[in-house]
Amino acid sequence: MPDTLSITDNRTGKKYEIPVEHDAIKALELRKIKVKEDDFGLMTYDPALMNTASVKSRITFIDGDKGILRYRGYPIEQLAEKCTSFLEVAYLILAGDLPAKNQLEQWRQNVKLHTFVHENIKKLMEGFRYDAHPMGMFISTIAALSTFYPEAKEVMNQDVRQKQIFRLIGKVPTIAAFTFRHTKGMPYNYPDNELTYAGNFLSMMFKIGESYKVNPVLEHALTVLFILHADHEQNCSANVMRSVGSSHIDPYSACAAAAAALWGPLHGGANEAVLQMLDEIGSMQNVPSFIKSVKDGKGRLMGFGHRVYKNYDPRAKVIKRLAYEVFEVTGKNPNLEIALELERIALEDEYFVKRKLYPNVDFYSGLIYQAMGFPMDFFPVLFAIPRTAGWLAQWQEHILDPEQKISRPRQIYLGPSERNWLPIEKRP
Ligand code: ACO
């Protein structure tokens, strides 16, 4: 059987054979389909790109029906369990394979060389108001980095590109921690390059005086959370990174745009909504009436459902186990029991089962972050730190792909046709 699609245009009776490759047709093939020779040709209309593959990628694979997530072929469960550092996974995502021992050591060294920020970046951050949102500060500061490294605009130069990758992965935890210290009115802690990626971040966040010791359980938990959030194929912020990067702007500006997309409540903000929902429910006995109100259409069960996963989000399974390890150290988050009861009821309830609504990554992550002492408005920043590795991998793949060009979708124009300008006194 040929790998083609036969189309008959009933407007003209003409037939077309369109090649099918990787279960997709090239949208440009449809342009041959015309009624008149000078027609523009047929387009597809796909708001929110629900059924359009805009890239060929070798980075992350998701099968939402089966609940599968893999980075470069490796199942997320294995990476979360076996990788001892986030940088190992960042290397995997960016370089395409797990590093050998010497490669990992070199990669670590390179990133560590770039953990400090220019003192003027610190001064710039000091200029934000005391109550500035940490994500607003984070986005602006990432964008400002482009002014410190003007050579970054040479995006087709491999060495230059690689250096900005080291810089961004090295600096995002520092900038993130500075935003937190700023909101607390506390002096910024400089990086400690003797510590791991997650350990150094915790130290920059919470160290007061010299006696702070990173708790190994919390360091491990944060490493796993970073691994789980490192990439998620063509989500909203990855798509922004690619689209902005396709104009060949420097990666700092593109990362700032991607981080802005991540900040939106429909993307990176759901774990905060979960905590607000749990607070609202307040106690175990209110769970059944809350579930009933959701089924009656009065709001959603936050942290449930996903555009892609129509099965248990594999990241949620790992996070649920991790929650117990963290609570051993921090004490139980009082909302955990409400969350467990919500999950138990929802997984048995026909309404949720029929609609394939399962816990997603955000259902438990907020509880852990809160127990670890991170404020709610800091959650999107915690997401952006590891996702920077994913954004950079998506960006690099995009600009090196010979099939790609500057991103520029088409539109279906429904506005007025040509009309003549009228002087103001003659306008209706
Ligand atoms: N609670 C109750 N009902 C729900 C929920 C939910 N969380 N999610 C979907 N539904 C219902 C819808 O009402 C709809 O029912 P209907 O067929 O009777 O109208 C059906 O399930 C399908 O819902 P859609 O909105 O079409 O599903 P979609 O794939 O567009 O939405 C989304 C996915 C936005 C994640 C949705 O499930 C949701 O709002 N969940 C809560 C918010 C959340 O947790 N977001 C985090 C996602 S993970 C991340 O971004 C990192």
Side-chain angles (χ1 to χ4, degrees):
M1 290 242 274
D3 277 343
T4 58
L5 179 73
S6 302
I7 297 179
T8 306
D9 185 347
N10 293 325
R11 299 171 302 174
T12 58
K14 280 195 203 152
K15 291 190 188 319
Y16 302 84
E17 285 280 300
I18 295 192
V20 175
E21 198 190 350
H22 308 298
D23 286 334
I25 58 163
K26 283 199 175 133
L28 270 181
E29 291 283 338
L30 300 176
R31 290 270 285 276
K32 295 177 193 153
I33 303 177
K34 297 178 177 188
V35 175
K36 290 188 269 116
E37 212 25 64
D38 60 351
D39 275 357
F40 183 75
L42 203 66
M43 294 188 294
T44 56
Y45 174 58
D46 189 8
L49 303 176
M50 301 268 289
N51 194 38
T52 294
S54 60
V55 303
K56 288 179 182 162
S57 183
R58 292 177 168 77
I59 304 169
T60 294
F61 173 79
I62 299 176
D63 183 330
D65 288 329
K66 298 198 180 109
I68 293 173
L69 168 62
R70 298 184 199 130
Y71 299 157
R72 302 282 188 183
Y74 294 99
I76 192 68
E77 295 85 351
Q78 286 184 28
L79 296 171
E81 191 191 328
K82 312 262 190 225
C83 288
T84 50
S85 81
F86 169 72
L87 286 182
E88 193 178 345
V89 174
Y91 181 99
L92 167 69
I93 288 178
L94 276 146
D97 226 327
L98 284 167
K101 211 170 165 207
N102 61 334
Q103 288 171 318
L104 181 58
E105 206 30 58
Q106 191 58 54
W107 166 246
R108 258 199 199 115
Q109 280 310 324
N110 285 328
V111 172
K112 279 180 182 179
L113 269 181
H114 295 287
T115 51
F116 278 70
V117 291
H118 193 289
E119 281 295 292
N120 286 1
I121 281 285
K122 209 179 105 192
K123 285 192 197 137
L124 178 120
M125 295 184 74
E126 280 164 357
F128 285 107
R129 263 176 62 136
Y130 68 97
D131 59 351
H133 194 289
M135 196 60 175
M137 287 191 262
F138 181 84
I139 293 167
S140 322
T141 311
I142 297 296
L145 287 177
S146 72
T147 66
F148 287 76
Y149 308 111
E151 76 276 18
K153 65 179 184 300
E154 288 174 48
V155 294
M156 297 320 281
N157 178 325
Q158 211 223 293
D159 294 340
V160 172
R161 216 171 41 240
Q162 189 56 55
K163 186 140 185 200
Q164 316 320 310
I165 290 174
F166 293 141
R167 280 183 173 142
L168 266 160
I169 294 186
K171 288 180 203 315
V172 284
T174 312
I175 292 168
F178 283 10
T179 69
F180 173 77
R181 302 288 289 199
H182 183 83
T183 55
K184 298 282 167 212
M186 292 169 90
Y188 303 171
N189 282 325
Y190 287 116
D192 179 345
N193 286 331
E194 298 303 307
L195 300 175
T196 65
Y197 195 78
N200 169 47
F201 173 63
L202 285 171
S203 157
M204 287 189 289
M205 290 284 296
F206 299 122
K207 188 168 89 170
I208 301 172
E210 286 314 306
S211 61
Y212 179 81
K213 284 262 171 306
V214 178
N215 182 299
V217 175
L218 303 186
E219 182 181 3
H220 167 71
L222 196 61
T223 298
V224 174
L225 284 159
F226 279 177
I227 291 172
L228 297 179
H229 286 90
D231 195 51
H232 212 231
E233 54 118 310
Q234 306 314 311
N235 55 82
C236 178
S237 56
N239 183 45
V240 167
M241 184 79 193
R242 283 181 177 262
S243 193
V244 174
S246 76
S247 75
H248 287 194
I249 187 64
D250 69 88
Y252 302 103
S253 305
C255 260
L262 183 75
W263 191 9
L266 298 186
H267 189 2
N271 46 12
E272 184 176 343
V274 172
L275 292 188
Q276 280 159 356
M277 173 188 75
L278 295 175
D279 278 344
E280 221 173 89
I281 296 172
S283 75
M284 295 274 276
Q285 72 254 33
N286 296 334
V287 171
S289 59
F290 180 79
I291 295 270
K292 183 172 177 311
S293 72
V294 168
K295 286 161 60 178
D296 290 344
K298 297 184 193 133
R300 291 200 159 187
L301 179 49
M302 299 313 288
F304 259 66
H306 197 277
R307 171 58 57 77
V308 178
Y309 295 117
K310 300 300 169 195
N311 201 323
Y312 215 104
D313 180 337
R315 301 168 298 175
K317 277 190 197 152
V318 179
I319 290 188
K320 191 175 171 184
R321 281 198 300 274
L322 203 62
Y324 289 100
E325 289 172 31
V326 170
F327 297 154
E328 284 284 310
V329 176
T330 61
K332 218 189 255 172
N333 187 317
N335 280 333
L336 175 68
E337 276 176 355
I338 301 174
L340 289 170
E341 183 63 2
L342 269 178
E343 182 187 343
R344 189 188 67 74
I345 297 183
L347 291 181
E348 286 174 356
D349 193 294
E350 208 213 318
Y351 175 96
F352 296 92
V353 174
K354 209 171 89 194
R355 290 170 177 78
K356 299 187 176 173
L357 299 171
Y358 294 87
N360 61 47
V361 67
D362 288 321
F363 194 63
Y364 288 104
S365 64
L367 288 173
I368 303 185
Y369 291 145
Q370 195 177 43
M372 287 174 80
F374 296 112
M376 268 198 254
D377 61 2
F378 196 69
F379 292 178
V381 180
L382 286 168
F383 196 158
I385 297 170
R387 187 53 64 85
T388 299
W391 290 331
L392 290 167
Q394 300 283 347
W395 162 74
Q396 182 157 248
E397 188 178 67
H398 199 90
I399 59 173
L400 295 182
D401 182 345
E403 288 188 8
Q404 290 293 346
K405 288 175 185 286
I406 186 167
S407 293
R408 202 323 184 167
R410 292 280 170 186
Q411 65 168 4
I412 295 173
Y413 176 73
L414 298 177
S417 50
E418 187 179 355
R419 48 187 176 163
N420 288 326
W421 183 88
L422 289 174
I424 198 156
E425 58 280 5
K426 294 209 172 145
R427 291 174 203 165

